[in-house]
């Protein structure tokens, strides 16, 4: 572990254990609540997937009623949640006009594969050397996380549909509407290459002063190829008699390689993980918060008892006898002055040595020391006795 990581770990441990772990308990409670909320959402999504019918593309029109369409007057869309599996095909293949003679598809520049979605990612990988002035990187790590790579992504897409395999011409098809979808896509990697970056004089200066400098460029290209067998899970409706499927924000899937049974198993596993993580983290947070509450309560009680004892000691220092107080304010011979304060008369004798060299207040102060000793003979004392004149 580097010096930066050790410093950050020490700071985080001190913050987590602050107030006898109360901060850590609150953080665990927050994560537990978030896990239970996500468990509720995952359970609802699992129930929707189980209840959704798995139909063929040719049977969609029989499953969807004419009312399952878009309402142009209100702008709202109604539909039915279905699970459909089919092959990826470009929408231009079924347009039925002269444009279909030249299919509108995307072609990978690197591999030449044809698809409807192409995502190209370029990742610049950085390295960090502390250099002769590397302490600057240690200071920066305390305030921000030093990034090690920078990624740029470009996404191209053409309209596509799902068709049934082995049927031609494709009279029945399902249009895939990708608007507003943030779900992961079942893309296939067709190109992956790592190229080193040649060092320059500027790179030497970056390394000299402890800054990150580029060492490699990773090019990756993923596509959704034609003819790929995928499953679509979403809200399906009829638009001008053509079935269209759109993603549902409440579901974790939209386009996937898994079938319905595999989705149910995967969603059930996620639900169990979220449930048990919420239970375990919630139990830990309750235990930590209970321990912190007991520790802080006992600490407050101890502070309160010490405060009361201090107040009692302050009251005990005051001489309740008015005659003695008046006697202390008068002329006191030098031989009868307290050897500590030199302002009041000697009134207390130490036990067991018996020396009467202090006033009552100073005697009490000596008794409260960790190792009380007589100021004259330096013998350990147990207590002091107030001496009254006859």
């Amino acid at each position: 572990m580097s010096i930066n990581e050790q410093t950050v770990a020490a700071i985080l441990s001190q913050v987590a254990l602050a107030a006898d772990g109360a901060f850590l308990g609150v953080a665990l409670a927050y994560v537990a609540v978030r896990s239970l909320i996500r468990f509720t959402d995952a359970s609802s999504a699992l129930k929707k997937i189980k209840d959704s019918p798995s139909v063929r593309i040719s049977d969609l029109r029989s499953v969807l009623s004419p009312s399952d369409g878009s309402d142009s007057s209100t702008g709202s869309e109604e539909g039915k949640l279905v699970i459909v599996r089919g092959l990826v095909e470009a929408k231009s293949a079924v347009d039925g006009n002269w444009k279909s003679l030249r299919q509108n598809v995307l072609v990978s520049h690197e591999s030449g594969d044809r698809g409807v979605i192409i995502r190209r990612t370029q990742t610049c990988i950085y390295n960090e050397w502390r250099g002769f002035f590397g302490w600057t990187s240690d200071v920066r790590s305390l305030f921000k996380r030093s990034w090690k790579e920078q990624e740029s992504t470009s996404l191209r897409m053409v309209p596509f549909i799902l068709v049934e395999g082995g049927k031609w011409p494709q009279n029945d098809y399902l249009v895939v509407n990708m608007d507003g979808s943030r779900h992961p896509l079942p893309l296939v990697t067709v190109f992956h290459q790592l190229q080193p970056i040649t060092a320059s004089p500027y790179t030497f200066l970056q390394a000299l002063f402890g800054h990150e400098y580029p060492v490699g460029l990773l090019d990756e290209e993923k596509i959704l190829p034609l003819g790929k067998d995928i499953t679509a899970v979403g809200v399906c409706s009829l638009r001008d008699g053509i079935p269209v499927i759109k993603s549902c924000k409440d579901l974790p899937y939209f386009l996937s390689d898994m079938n319905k049974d595999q989705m149910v198993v995967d969603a059930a596993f996620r639900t169990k993980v979220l449930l048990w993580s919420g239970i375990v983290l919630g139990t830990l947070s309750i235990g930590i918060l209970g321990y912190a509450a007991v520790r802080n309560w006992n600490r407050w009680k101890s502070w309160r008892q010490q405060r009361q004892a201090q107040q009692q000691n302050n009251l005990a220092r005051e001489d309740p006898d008015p005659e003695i107080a008046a006697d202390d304010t008068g002329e006191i011979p030098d031989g009868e002055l307290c050897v500590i304060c030199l302002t009041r008369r000697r009134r207390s004798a130490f036990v067991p040595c018996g020396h009467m060299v202090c006033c009552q207040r100073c005697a009490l102060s000596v008794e409260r020391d960790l190792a009380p000793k007589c100021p004259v003979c330096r013998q350990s004392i147990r207590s002091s006795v107030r001496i009254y004149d006859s």
Side-chain angles (χ1 to χ4, degrees), residues 12-280:
L12 291 178
S13 62
Q14 291 179 0
V15 172
L17 298 178
D20 293 324
F23 183 84
L24 178 61
V26 172
L28 290 177
Y30 173 77
V31 176
V33 171
R34 292 286 300 174
S35 298
L36 293 178
I37 293 175
R38 293 179 61 187
F39 161 74
T40 305
D41 298 337
S43 300
S44 177
L46 175 60
K47 185 177 183 303
K48 290 181 179 180
I49 294 175
K50 286 183 178 180
D51 297 340
S52 300
S54 180
V55 297
R56 300 173 58 185
I57 297 177
S58 57
D59 299 332
L60 279 175
R61 288 184 173 86
S62 61
V63 173
L64 300 175
S65 61
S67 61
D68 293 334
S70 60
D71 190 354
S72 58
S73 61
T74 61
S76 62
E77 294 186 359
E78 296 180 357
K80 188 173 183 180
L81 191 65
V82 296
I83 300 176
V84 185
R85 192 167 183 88
L87 303 179
V88 177
E89 186 62 61
K91 190 174 182 300
S92 59
V94 293
D95 281 342
N97 51 31
W98 63 272
K99 293 182 179 180
S100 62
L101 298 176
R102 183 178 181 182
Q103 197 172 8
N104 184 19
V105 296
L106 300 176
V107 181
S108 172
H109 294 291
E110 305 296 342
S111 62
D113 294 332
R114 294 151 54 92
V116 293
I117 298 178
I118 293 181
R119 184 171 67 188
R120 186 178 181 88
T121 304
Q122 284 190 341
T123 305
C124 188
I125 303 175
Y126 285 78
N127 193 11
E128 181 181 1
W129 181 60
R130 297 185 61 186
F132 296 103
F133 304 96
W135 59 271
T136 56
S137 61
D138 296 337
V139 176
R140 289 198 311 272
S141 65
L142 298 178
F143 300 97
K144 67 177 181 179
R145 183 179 180 181
S146 60
W147 47 272
K148 301 299 182 185
E149 58 184 24
Q150 186 176 3
E151 183 178 279
S152 61
T153 304
S154 62
L155 182 67
R156 292 186 298 161
M157 184 185 309
V158 296
F160 63 98
I161 59 176
L162 296 183
V163 298
E164 290 187 14
K167 293 185 62 177
W168 190 263
Q170 299 293 344
N171 297 322
D172 297 319
Y173 58 90
L174 174 65
V175 179
V176 180
N177 186 0
M178 296 293 296
D179 294 341
S181 175
R182 297 182 178 272
H183 296 80
L185 299 173
L187 302 180
V188 179
T189 302
V190 295
F191 180 74
H192 184 89
Q193 184 178 12
L194 178 62
Q195 298 178 354
I197 297 179
T198 306
S200 63
Y202 180 67
T203 304
F204 174 75
L205 292 177
Q206 287 178 313
L208 182 65
F209 287 92
H211 294 280
E212 297 90 355
Y213 57 93
V215 295
L217 183 64
L218 177 63
D219 286 335
E220 190 175 29
E221 194 172 52
K222 296 183 178 182
I223 69 170
L224 183 60
L226 297 177
K228 182 176 176 60
D229 190 15
I230 62 174
T231 302
V233 185
V235 179
C236 189
S237 59
L238 293 175
R239 291 184 182 179
D240 299 330
I242 300 176
V244 179
I245 193 168
K246 188 177 182 180
S247 64
C248 181
K249 296 181 180 180
D250 298 335
L251 299 181
Y253 315 103
F254 178 40
L255 302 178
S256 175
D257 292 324
M258 298 182 292
N259 55 29
K260 180 179 178 180
D261 295 335
Q262 293 173 338
M263 289 182 183
V264 170
V265 173
D266 184 68
F269 176 76
R270 292 185 181 183
T271 304
K272 291 180 181 179
V273 170
L274 291 173
L275 174 61
W276 283 108
S277 62
I279 293 175
V280 172

